[in-house]
Amino acid sequence: MKIAIVGYGKMGKEIERIALNRGHQVVLKIDENNINEISLDNFKDVDVAIEFSAPQSAFSNIMMLLDYKVPTVSGTTGWIDKLELVKERCEKESVTFFYASNFSIGVNLFFKLNEHLAKMMDQYPNYHVLIEETHHTQKLDAPSGTAITLADGLIENLESKKKWEKENSDSQDSIAIKSYREGKVPGNHKIIYESSFDKIMIEHNAKSREGFALGAVLAAEFIKDKNGYFTMDELLKV
Ligand SMILES: NC(=O)c1ccc[n+]([C@@H]2O[C@H](COP(=O)([O-])OP(=O)(O)OC[C@H]3O[C@@H](n4cnc5c(N)ncnc54)[C@H](O)[C@@H]3O)[C@@H](O)[C@H]2O)c1
């Protein structure tokens, strides 16, 4: 498969390594220094683009790639307020897009565990729920896209919770997400339920970026000959 990498930073480089190991060709690498190379001509022979750039650039990159009818996988976080517009294009036009706030298989199992635990905890409102996430100091967005997906899983399953907020939240109907930025941490997430008697906690810690990058390459292989909007639910059939 001929892959273009859009956003050739920490993730882009890891994706390249894994794509080459899986027998693919990386025919184009785009970062902030050569964005003018995103053109119809350069992308005409590309099978799939994998976009891991920055919160401020992802949406316009994705729109251009869809204009050129290039099936696109993106994991860039911090822009998902515009995700609905991309989904609409996938419904109305014959374009292909795969999005995951987290491509790690372990994290996607953790998302399911979070929803299951929330369903159980819904009967025990004396437990106060909180999300904590820790990432490396270069991360541009906070809270992480993964923490927002975890919060959405709680909101869907806890009757009393209607929204999430950054840091401390006094309001009964919102979930606080605390973000920490430390060293080179690839990504840690905790869901904490606390009562005056005890604490229940589930936690996922990524050991490296490899799990995210492998998921993105598997997603690229999955969408190559498909049309529409896809997520990890379709890839993992969970
Ligand atoms: N979904 C996941 O599983 C997952 C996992 C890790 C990181 N991420 C997200 O992926 C994104 C990238 O992470 P990273 O750690 O590789 O960041 P990074 O800062 O190391 O790399 C970003 C790259 O994007 C490039 N870039 C900037 N503007 C651009 C533009 N307009 N067009 C193309 N490229 C541009 C930069 O030159 C840089 O090479 C972040 O949003 C991060 O949160 C997602």
Side-chain angles (χ1 to χ4, degrees):
M1 198 160 76
K2 289 183 178 158
I3 295 177
I5 295 181
V6 180
Y8 191 57
K10 292 183 282 298
M11 279 302 297
K13 291 185 176 105
E14 192 65 26
I15 287 164
E16 177 183 38
R17 193 179 66 77
I18 297 210
L20 295 175
N21 278 343
R22 292 181 67 82
H24 301 302
Q25 283 173 266
V26 174
V27 292
L28 200 54
K29 296 177 222 172
I30 308 275
D31 70 8
E32 61 198 322
N33 302 312
N34 64 339
I35 40 176
N36 56 329
E37 289 183 29
I38 307 184
S39 67
L40 182 57
D41 199 40
N42 281 341
F43 276 83
K44 66 177 186 306
D45 293 327
V46 168
D47 292 313
V48 181
I50 305 184
E51 205 277 353
F52 277 72
S53 66
Q56 69 280 6
S57 51
F59 181 65
S60 64
N61 285 343
I62 292 160
M63 285 315 224
M64 272 191 279
L65 294 165
L66 297 189
D67 287 345
Y68 304 153
K69 306 274 185 222
V70 184
T72 299
V73 172
S74 176
T76 308
T77 53
W79 67 277
I80 51 158
D81 49 324
K82 301 201 184 79
L83 187 60
E84 276 307 314
L85 297 170
V86 180
K87 278 189 203 173
E88 273 172 32
R89 282 194 70 174
C90 293
E91 278 159 22
K92 291 184 185 146
E93 304 168 36
S94 67
V95 292
T96 309
F97 184 68
F98 188 119
Y99 185 73
S101 65
N102 196 307
F103 276 94
S104 131
I105 289 168
V107 162
N108 283 275
L109 295 173
F110 188 63
F111 286 154
K112 297 290 166 195
L113 181 63
N114 174 48
E115 289 167 17
H116 185 69
L117 180 59
K119 281 190 184 100
M120 288 167 65
M121 297 308 289
D122 197 30
Q123 302 161 55
Y124 304 100
N126 55 317
Y127 282 87
H128 174 78
V129 66
L130 169 75
I131 300 176
E132 287 184 1
E133 57 104 346
T134 307
H135 280 86
H136 55 90
T137 50
Q138 290 168 353
K139 186 166 176 61
L140 297 177
D141 53 322
S144 66
T146 304
I148 295 172
T149 304
L150 288 165
D152 289 341
L154 293 176
I155 291 163
E156 273 166 32
N157 292 291
L158 293 172
E159 183 80 20
S160 62
K161 302 298 177 194
K162 306 292 176 217
K163 58 184 193 296
W164 59 265
E165 286 176 73
K166 281 186 183 185
E167 300 304 324
N168 285 323
S169 162
D170 294 330
S171 111
Q172 287 295 313
D173 66 351
S174 70
I175 299 156
I177 306 179
K178 290 194 178 182
S179 298
Y180 302 96
R181 297 291 171 259
E182 289 169 14
K184 296 191 171 177
V185 179
N188 296 344
H189 293 86
K190 274 185 201 167
I191 312 289
I192 303 160
Y193 291 88
E194 191 158 9
S195 74
S196 40
F197 310 117
D198 55 10
K199 203 179 197 179
I200 301 170
M201 197 161 67
I202 56 171
E203 180 171 0
H204 179 276
N205 296 332
K207 291 184 177 176
S208 70
R209 290 185 175 80
E210 200 172 338
F212 309 132
L214 174 63
V217 176
L218 292 174
E221 293 169 1
F222 179 74
I223 63 164
K224 183 179 168 286
D225 297 313
K226 295 186 174 68
N227 264 333
Y229 176 78
F230 299 94
T231 68
M232 292 300 275
D233 279 352
E234 286 82 42
L235 179 65
L236 300 175
K237 296 190 182 68
V238 283

